[in-house]
Structures are given as structure tokens and as C-alpha cells.
Amino acid sequence: MKQQVYISSYTDDGGEGIYYYTFEDGKLELQSLAATAVNPSFMVFHPNRKTVYTVDEHRDFEGSGGVSAFERSDEDGSLQLKNTVTSKGADPCYITIDNTGSHVIVANYTGGSVATFPAQTDGTVGEVTSFIKHTGETKVNPARQEGPHAHSINLSPSGKYAIALDLGADKAVIYKYNNEDGALTVANEFKFKAGDGPRHLAFAPFNDSWLYAVAELTNDIVFLEFDEANETLHEIQRVAALPEDFKGDNLAAEISILPSGKFLYSSMRGHDSLAIFAINESTGKLTKVGHQSTGGAHPRHFAIDPTGEYIIVANKDSHNLVVFKIDQDTGLLTEVPDSRVEHRQPVCIKFWT
């Protein structure tokens, strides 16, 4: 089955924006530069299958980054810029869309804030409707934790709550979310271990109360239970994502779970691998399976294809994409022969589904 994939790039070292690929039998084929953009570091698709939204990771809007909306062509996959608005904070790094397609929600990393924006019916993105600046810092890592740094925000499966991970403040902020007006209201906070630097999270596909957060600075995976009724998070388990004998520098990055819910993967920048874990379907607890070299340097992002058969890894610093076949019984990965593709500074991979 031929699938469609969009891969975005940082644009300070040869990348030009968002690229359109096809994917079949474990092989990527570049079709076109879908749209030029400035540092489109994360993307999300509207459920109407007509619009692509990006965060533009810069500070060009009087110190803030941008949120952009693109109209997609069904004929050739190209993207036409509709408009861009300020993200209301420096260096936006994450964007998601609510279950109804009414608003997009953004995390501003350097700005240490989160904000919502209307997904307009004309395909544009509207001006900010809700904005919250995070507070706090732990300073365990002075270079990275001198202040709040919102690194992601994800909606709960019910769509009633949004959970933002803040790397600088070592916390998760639990927001009540109203999809009618995009309002975010702080409900509670969860404190990670000082120095964790929480980055991204993934909900288990078969249990709405289980979620897993990757700690960028300690390189741990933290299994949490979300008690939506009481608006709380509880830590259940913590596991190291790096091999015990690895002594180099590493920054954990992305985290994702197979559609079957059997295995979890996280990318390790420095060890340059994907850490592989089995998920116990009864308890949700993790067991380490192993590691797979990503075939390049600094695997910032990766994506599991909708069938759950393949993983595509974006190695930013070695400027390449590598495809791996997933063993459905063990979770182990095998690099697909001749699957490597040169791509300048890849930072986000999204299958068009």
C-alpha cells in the first residue's frame, strides 16, 4: 500500500521547509518540496484532510515564533500557505489539534508558554484565544532549566484535558480544555524528579489512563497514570532508556507506541539509537527489549507508519532518513535494505492519514 508522508526540516543549513514523499514496501520516494517555510519544526493535520498546520520555530514576530496554515492539494500533495500568526512566544516547538478540529494548541519552548488558536473554516489559523505563561525552574541543569520551557502539549483521549510537559520547570501542567472557545484552565500540576527535563509523551492506545513521558535530560521513561476524575497524575514506574554501560552525552527526544500497544520506542540523541520497550498489557509496566542504531546522528524525531509495520527515523545531524521493519512479536527492528534517503536537517515526520 502506497502511503503519503510529509517531512519538515530546519532551514538554517540547506533545508527549505516541508517535503512530500510517498512510502511503499519500506521505501521512501521524494515527490516534491511541498512548501517553503522557516523552521517548521512540528506539524499537525486537520481531520478534514484539507489543512496542514505548523509551528515555525523562530523569534521573528517581535520575539515570537509563528503558527502557519497550509491548504493541501489532493492532486500533487503540494501545500499553499494560507496565513501565519504569531505564536505569542519564542521558539514554538510543538503543535496539536483538538478532537473536533476547532483549535490548534501550541507549546512555545523558549517562551515557556502554551496557547490556542482557532482552526478557521476558511483554512486559515486565527489569532490567539487562550494564552498561559508557565512559571518555575529547577536549575538542576543551569543551561537548560533557567526558566520554564514548554516542550509539548497533548490532549487526553477524552479531549477534555490537555497535558503540557515543561522541561525547564520539571513538571506537567494539567489543563481543562474547552473546544468551543479553546480556553485552557489550569487544573493541577505534577512534579517530575528534579533534573528530568520532561519533553514528549504518548498515551497507551488501549488504556486512556496510561501515558509515558520521555525525560530529555535524565534519559528516563516515566510511566504515569492519569486520573481524569481527580485531575491528577501518578508515577507508576521509571526505567532508564540508555544502556548501563553508555558513558557519553545523550538527550532523549521522541516517544511513540505501536498501534497494537505492545511496544514503545524512544529516540536517543548521542547514543543515536531507538530504545525499545515491551508494554505489559495488564499492568502497563515496561520491560527493556534493547536498542537499535538509527543509522545516523541525532535522531530528533521518528514516526511509526499507520499499519504498525515500519518506523522512519529522522537523523537531523547526519541529514538522513532511515526505515526499519518492526518485528511484531519481539519489537526488534531491522533496517530495510537501501532505505536510506538524504534529507537536510529532518525534524518532523507525519504520515498523511
Side-chain angles (χ1 to χ4, degrees):
M1 180 181 69
K2 184 174 289 188
Q3 302 182 71
Q4 301 170 81
V5 188
Y6 286 93
I7 302 177
S8 64
S9 294
Y10 278 139
T11 53
D12 58 357
D13 189 17
E16 296 183 74
I18 306 169
Y19 297 79
Y20 175 57
Y21 286 82
T22 54
F23 181 71
E24 189 173 21
D25 296 328
K27 301 292 180 65
L28 284 162
E29 185 174 348
L30 176 64
Q31 301 300 308
S32 65
L33 172 64
T36 57
V38 178
N39 288 348
S41 63
F42 215 78
M43 301 177 285
V44 72
F45 305 145
H46 196 285
N48 67 11
R49 296 180 57 81
K50 296 179 180 178
T51 309
V52 175
Y53 301 95
T54 66
V55 282
D56 310 322
E57 193 174 325
H58 57 66
R59 310 177 190 185
D60 296 346
F61 284 105
E62 298 180 352
S64 291
V67 183
S68 295
F70 297 85
E71 183 178 10
R72 181 184 185 273
S73 167
D74 288 333
E75 293 184 3
D76 60 9
S78 62
L79 304 175
Q80 179 67 41
L81 179 66
K82 297 287 288 186
N83 77 316
T84 301
V85 299
T86 172
S87 70
K88 306 299 288 186
D91 301 319
C93 60
Y94 201 93
I95 185 169
T96 191
I97 191 164
D98 71 29
N99 299 358
T100 66
S102 63
H103 291 80
V104 294
I105 314 174
V106 169
N108 293 301
Y109 177 79
T110 303
S113 60
V114 295
T116 62
F117 304 83
Q120 312 273 44
T121 56
D122 65 357
T124 61
V125 58
E127 296 292 338
V128 64
T129 56
S130 185
F131 172 84
I132 297 178
K133 177 84 163 93
H134 286 185
T135 59
E137 72 283 327
T138 60
K139 298 184 179 179
V140 173
N141 185 323
R144 300 291 306 280
Q145 296 184 307
E146 81 296 345
H149 292 303
H151 215 314
S152 62
I153 186 161
N154 291 86
L155 287 157
S156 65
S158 72
K160 297 178 181 179
Y161 291 86
I163 299 175
L165 298 188
D166 195 298
L167 181 147
D170 282 326
K171 66 182 180 181
V173 184
I174 303 169
Y175 291 100
K176 288 183 180 179
Y177 175 68
N178 185 328
N179 61 31
E180 293 184 2
D181 58 10
L184 294 168
T185 306
V186 176
N188 209 340
E189 292 186 353
F190 168 82
K191 290 296 293 181
F192 284 85
K193 184 178 75 175
D196 265 348
R199 178 183 173 96
H200 286 182
L201 65 80
F203 276 90
F206 53 81
N207 189 315
D208 291 352
S209 66
W210 293 350
L211 61 95
Y212 303 83
V214 57
E216 177 173 333
L217 303 182
T218 58
N219 302 297
D220 286 345
I221 308 298
V222 184
F223 170 33
L224 301 163
E225 185 173 38
F226 180 40
D227 183 343
E228 188 167 297
N230 292 303
E231 301 173 335
T232 57
L233 285 166
H234 303 279
E235 181 174 325
I236 305 299
Q237 182 193 25
R238 172 184 293 266
V239 292
L242 285 173
E244 292 182 2
D245 59 353
F246 179 73
K247 304 302 181 184
D249 294 329
N250 189 84
L251 295 171
E254 185 57 281
I255 187 168
S256 190
I257 299 173
L258 279 191
S260 67
K262 292 176 63 176
F263 299 101
L264 177 150
Y265 301 86
S266 185
S267 58
M268 302 289 113
R269 297 171 295 176
H271 189 246
D272 293 336
S273 68
L274 292 184
I276 308 166
F277 299 88
I279 301 176
N280 184 296
E281 64 179 10
S282 299
T283 67
K285 289 188 175 182
L286 301 174
T287 301
K288 188 180 290 186
V289 172
H291 291 82
Q292 172 65 49
S293 169
T294 61
H298 200 93
R300 178 183 171 92
H301 196 252
F302 65 90
I304 298 170
D305 89 292
T307 70
E309 295 182 33
Y310 298 97
I311 288 180
I312 305 174
V313 179
N315 292 304
K316 182 178 76 70
D317 289 358
S318 55
H319 310 288
N320 70 332
L321 307 165
V322 185
V323 182
F324 297 88
K325 178 78 171 177
I326 303 168
D327 186 307
Q328 302 299 310
D329 294 322
T330 66
L332 294 173
L333 306 175
T334 303
E335 183 175 337
V336 175
D338 302 317
S339 69
R340 299 190 182 193
V341 175
E342 292 185 6
H343 185 114
R344 299 300 296 182
Q345 288 192 298
V347 292
C348 184
I349 304 170
K350 292 285 184 173
F351 280 86
W352 181 255
T353 56

